[in-house]
Amino acid sequence: MSLMTLATTITGGHDPAYYAGRADAYDEHTTGATLDELTTRAAHITDLHDPMYAAGYTARVLEIRHENAARTATEADIAHHLLARAA
């Protein structure tokens, strides 16, 4: 028996190019592009591509930056608590 995969509809009134930009940034990050590389690419894409594509790409890059900052803060907090227990 197989399960049907449902594709969600585009929400929020965004252009499909917006989601294409997000997907490309996600794929490039997943295949190993660093945050600095993605930021540089986002700047180039802003000048060369459809504005909605650039907005989607840049939005995903900013989300990756926020995810990294949250992960760093959490790891620092855990390390701080572990060191406080050890002392």
Side-chain angles (χ1 to χ4, degrees):
M1 183 173 161
S2 64
L3 297 175
M4 181 191 303
T5 302
L6 299 174
T8 59
T9 59
I10 294 174
T11 59
H14 291 294
D15 190 304
Y18 176 84
Y19 293 102
R22 289 183 58 82
D24 286 348
Y26 175 84
D27 291 342
E28 290 173 7
H29 179 64
T30 303
T31 58
T34 66
L35 190 54
D36 290 334
E37 291 171 337
L38 291 174
T39 302
T40 301
R41 291 176 189 170
H44 291 293
I45 286 171
T46 301
D47 292 337
L48 303 174
H49 284 279
D50 173 30
M52 289 308 293
Y53 179 89
Y57 193 97
T58 303
R60 182 62 192 138
V61 171
L62 291 174
E63 286 176 5
I64 293 168
R65 183 177 300 279
H66 291 176
E67 290 166 3
N68 287 348
R71 184 180 311 111
T72 301
T74 301
E75 290 172 354
D77 191 45
I78 291 169
H80 175 73
H81 288 296
L82 291 176
L83 289 174
R85 286 185 193 164

